[in-house]
Amino acid sequence: MFSMNRLSTSKRAQIVGMMSEGNSLRAITRMTGASINTVTKLLVDIGTACAAFHDQHVRNLQTTRVECDEVWTFCYARRQNVPEEKKGAFGYGDVWTWVGMDADSKLVVNWMVGRRDAETALPFMHDLASRLENRVQLTTDGLHAYLTATDAAFGTDIDFARLIKVYGSDPNAERRYAPPVCISSRTEIVSGDPNPRHISTSYIERQNLTMRMSMRRFTRLTNGHSKKIQNHGHALAIHYVYYNFGRKQTVLKGTPAMAAGLADRVWSLEDIVGLLDVAEKGVAA
């Protein structure tokens, strides 16, 4: 087994790459020979460094179109299996990841882990607003919590519309495995003058699929879910920094960060691992 103190940069990069491609921590230990404690510590350390980097550098964006959505998963156990003494406590049962995305550059502007309620919507929208330089056109789904949160964060300085979808179920599908079917949709202008052609959540919904495919923690009907909410957050930070800075997209001919003017090249996994050294120097300073 490798200890954390003896892990080379290339070995760390290999492990982070496996995390970014959807492997569970146990699978990574089997493939690399590193101990579970070493892999978990690297998850925490790199995740913390990625979150700090994103918070500091993904700002002052010249974005004009933003899409927002929430992604469900569960932590520790499914809601119906959470022990009685832990019911109602955050991090046990249903967990939602709120995501804001630049529809043009495909950059993930911000994310937040919480419940699907106004208490999470408010800080999420304030954080989104703090990263934008321009007036933007915003599209969300029909969740009511967006209305108050967006008004509090942006006031009248936004062109805001909601895309409200009505879902049903396919009677010919196995209900346990089939996703809900969208049977109708309508748009609702909330404020400003949004362009009807750009009232869409297609890009953020596709990004949510990318996240589900890139992280074992979001795979449905498995035991690969997050067991600790803190580690769930660290995994998200690694995923989004890799997605923004290290994952080249053919349509963009680069990464979302390059399209948004935040980077001039595709980051390697070693670059992402290097954020850990930057964070350590910052603490030392």
Side-chain angles (χ1 to χ4, degrees):
M1 294 289 184
F2 298 94
S3 70
M4 187 65 188
N5 292 333
R6 289 185 293 167
L7 281 183
S8 63
T9 298
S10 61
K11 179 60 69 173
R12 289 181 179 184
Q14 179 189 22
I15 292 173
V16 171
M18 290 178 177
M19 291 178 185
S20 302
E21 293 298 334
N23 292 282
S24 68
L25 298 189
R26 292 287 180 183
I28 292 172
T29 65
R30 292 192 294 270
M31 289 186 286
T32 64
S35 71
I36 186 63
N37 290 339
T38 296
V39 174
T40 302
K41 186 177 187 306
L42 185 60
L43 170 75
V44 173
D45 292 345
I46 296 291
T48 300
C50 284
F53 171 81
H54 178 94
D55 186 57
Q56 181 179 356
H57 293 278
V58 182
R59 293 192 176 276
N60 305 317
L61 302 175
Q62 304 298 314
T63 303
T64 58
R65 291 193 292 147
V66 174
E67 298 178 9
C68 291
D69 200 12
E70 326 84 55
V71 190
W72 172 86
T73 188
F74 65 94
C75 186
Y76 186 81
R78 287 186 176 273
R79 179 176 51 193
Q80 61 269 28
N81 296 329
V82 173
E84 199 64 37
E85 66 274 13
K86 298 184 184 297
K87 286 186 176 179
F90 179 65
Y92 299 91
D94 293 349
V95 172
W96 293 83
T97 303
W98 297 61
V99 189
M101 182 181 186
D102 182 338
D104 294 311
S105 70
K106 311 305 180 292
L107 182 84
V108 170
V109 178
N110 72 324
W111 71 91
M112 185 168 292
V113 179
R115 294 185 170 94
R116 196 170 186 251
D117 60 12
E119 290 185 9
T120 306
L122 194 61
F124 170 73
M125 295 307 293
H126 274 289
D127 181 55
L128 174 64
S130 72
R131 299 176 186 277
L132 305 174
E133 284 286 286
N134 306 319
R135 182 187 180 100
V136 300
Q137 174 165 331
L138 171 68
T139 306
T140 71
D141 60 23
L143 183 65
H144 188 76
Y146 280 116
L147 297 175
T148 302
T150 301
D151 182 63
F154 291 92
T156 60
D157 191 26
I158 193 168
D159 300 310
F160 176 26
R162 299 197 298 167
L163 181 61
I164 302 171
K165 297 181 179 180
V166 178
Y167 291 94
S169 58
D170 184 350
N172 299 315
E174 175 96 25
R175 291 188 63 189
R176 184 182 178 193
Y177 296 97
V181 178
C182 180
I183 57 178
S184 67
S185 65
R186 63 183 175 86
T187 60
E188 177 186 280
I189 307 300
V190 179
S191 64
D193 185 27
N195 186 334
R197 293 192 307 161
H198 297 318
I199 300 176
S200 171
T201 55
S202 297
Y203 291 125
I204 187 64
E205 289 172 0
R206 181 59 183 84
Q207 204 290 321
N208 292 342
L209 175 60
T210 297
M211 181 170 68
R212 285 200 180 278
M213 296 174 65
S214 300
M215 273 196 286
R216 184 69 166 163
R217 297 163 189 274
F218 282 80
T219 304
R220 300 178 187 271
L221 299 174
T222 73
N223 62 355
H225 57 276
S226 295
K227 312 308 186 292
K228 294 181 180 180
I229 192 64
Q230 295 84 355
N231 289 349
H232 187 75
H234 296 315
L236 281 166
I238 294 171
H239 166 75
Y240 282 126
V241 168
Y242 175 68
Y243 170 85
N244 279 341
F245 289 86
R247 184 167 178 160
K248 185 176 180 180
Q249 297 189 24
T250 303
V251 173
L252 297 176
K253 298 181 179 179
T255 64
M258 293 169 65
L262 299 178
D264 57 5
R265 59 183 175 82
V266 180
W267 279 28
S268 66
L269 291 170
E270 286 78 7
D271 290 326
I272 295 176
V273 169
L275 295 177
L276 183 57
D277 295 329
V278 173
E280 289 174 347
K281 290 177 181 177
V283 172

